[in-house]
Amino acid sequence: MGFFDGFGRLVRVDGDGAVELRLGAAERELLRSLLPQLRSLLVDEAGDAETGPTDPMLARLFPSAHPDDVDEDQAYRSLVHDDLLAVRLSNLDLVERTLDGPPLDAEQVGIWMRTVNELRLVLGTKLDVTDDEEPIDVDAGDQRAPLYAAYSWLGVLLEELVRAASSLPPEPTRHDD
Amino acid sequence: MAAPPSAPRSPLASAPVEAPVEVEEPVGDVDPTTESPWIVLVWNDPINLMSYVTFVLQKLFGYSLEKATELMLDVHHKGKAVVSSGSKEKAELDVFRLHEHGLWATMQQD
């Protein structure tokens, strides 16, 4: 498949079109430690559902739809906040349940992708990632080093999940009309 | 957006997705006698992976790999791109689905 050594190390599509996660023990433990933190962040949100969260990590997960119109944005946030929250929590539950296998179907791969992406958004915001071209290079002694390592690894996992999903037969696309 | 981690910067290598319906332009369903159309914009951010953004655009809007890549590169290089247009209700739904996928999207009247 790809021309990078190591791609397909974490995620493989088997002969039946199911997606197998080949995570090491330490990698599973990393996810097991990150997922509850994301859940806490989501459920403990202190911001007003109408005006948007003040925490920058949450603000990234509940962004504005009308940046120049406060009234319209409040209406949008009131409309979608609970659904956005509920679907994210449901996705989190599924990822935790399927951490140790069995192989995932197409819908579950999509849920994994969105949840891993959310972990990246939260960690990247926390790390104040602003440069998308340079690889992150931080000293081992930097106390943020473990977070950077987790952020980088999540990027590899997400990249492989996207590759796997792209090689599956297409799901019916969710057109709304 | 972020380039693929620990990999040379190279053209996107994922296999084409054969979507059941492929469109090249945003689909509009506006009644011209009532209101001007709403457009949906996706904005660049340094965290989202290029491959992920491309995949989401294909999945949500039925774009071909080529068109989704073009839109993603517009977001990456120009800061934003229009990914759909239509009624206010349709734009709101599209923004919601994009937010659900972790992309930053906004809507405005054209």
Side-chain angles (χ1 to χ4, degrees):
Chain A
M1 194 163 154
F3 37 81
F4 313 131
D5 276 346
F7 262 73
R9 176 178 72 81
L10 300 175
V11 183
R12 297 260 174 92
V13 181
D14 70 23
D16 301 322
V19 176
E20 188 192 347
L21 298 172
R22 303 164 65 91
L23 307 180
E27 292 167 334
R28 290 176 203 272
E29 274 317 300
L30 173 65
L31 285 173
R32 272 199 196 94
S33 73
L34 290 174
L35 292 165
Q37 294 179 53
L38 178 58
R39 182 181 285 110
S40 292
L41 181 71
L42 288 167
V43 301
D44 294 344
E45 178 187 343
D48 186 341
E50 283 191 354
T51 60
T54 50
D55 180 322
M57 290 185 284
L58 277 170
R60 186 59 190 80
L61 295 180
F62 295 92
S64 170
H66 298 266
D68 298 325
D69 190 328
V70 172
D71 293 334
E72 285 280 14
D73 210 40
Q74 279 186 355
Y76 171 80
R77 289 182 183 279
S78 296
L79 189 65
V80 308
H81 176 267
D82 290 350
D83 287 343
L84 262 182
L85 178 60
V87 74
R88 285 191 166 125
L89 291 175
S90 166
N91 291 349
L92 254 175
D93 290 344
L94 183 135
V95 170
E96 275 184 339
R97 278 202 311 273
T98 54
L99 253 179
D100 296 316
L104 308 174
D105 63 28
E107 186 190 355
Q108 292 168 332
V109 172
I111 289 172
W112 265 80
M113 273 199 297
R114 294 192 286 287
T115 304
V116 169
N117 189 54
E118 272 154 36
L119 289 173
R120 282 192 84 240
L121 289 175
V122 166
L123 275 184
T125 303
K126 185 170 185 145
L127 290 166
D128 200 23
V129 168
T130 53
D131 188 338
D132 56 3
E133 290 295 340
E134 292 303 312
I136 295 165
D137 187 19
V138 66
D139 294 334
D142 188 325
Q143 69 183 62
R144 297 180 133 198
L147 279 180
Y148 279 119
Y151 176 75
S152 293
W153 179 78
L154 287 169
V156 176
L157 177 59
L158 180 58
E159 196 73 56
E160 292 201 20
L161 286 168
V162 172
R163 280 174 165 273
S166 298
S167 71
L168 295 175
E171 296 177 79
T173 46
R174 291 161 56 192
H175 294 304
D176 56 317
D177 50 13
Chain B
M1 268 158 290
S6 53
R9 301 205 208 325
S10 54
L12 298 164
S14 44
V17 171
E18 291 175 20
V21 175
E22 292 193 350
V23 299
E24 287 302 314
E25 295 301 329
V27 176
D29 59 355
V30 171
D31 177 353
T33 65
T34 54
E35 62 174 42
S36 55
W38 287 75
I39 57 173
V40 175
L41 296 157
V42 168
W43 297 82
N44 190 32
D45 75 78
I47 297 172
N48 271 318
L49 294 178
M50 295 165 81
S51 60
Y52 178 72
V53 174
T54 304
F55 181 85
V56 170
L57 293 178
Q58 288 179 272
K59 180 189 168 195
L60 294 187
F61 301 108
Y63 288 124
S64 66
L65 175 64
E66 288 69 31
K67 183 63 179 177
T69 303
E70 181 189 317
L71 288 170
M72 178 279 294
L73 289 172
D74 277 350
V75 172
H76 183 68
H77 292 298
K78 300 175 185 172
K80 63 184 180 190
V82 177
V83 300
S84 81
S85 69
S87 67
K88 188 181 178 192
E89 288 68 34
K90 179 179 185 299
E92 214 158 55
L93 180 61
D94 288 345
V95 167
F96 171 73
R97 296 191 299 155
L98 288 161
H99 286 180
E100 196 189 347
H101 284 73
L103 270 60
W104 180 26
T106 61
M107 53 191 277
Q108 63 193 50
Q109 280 191 288
D110 201 358

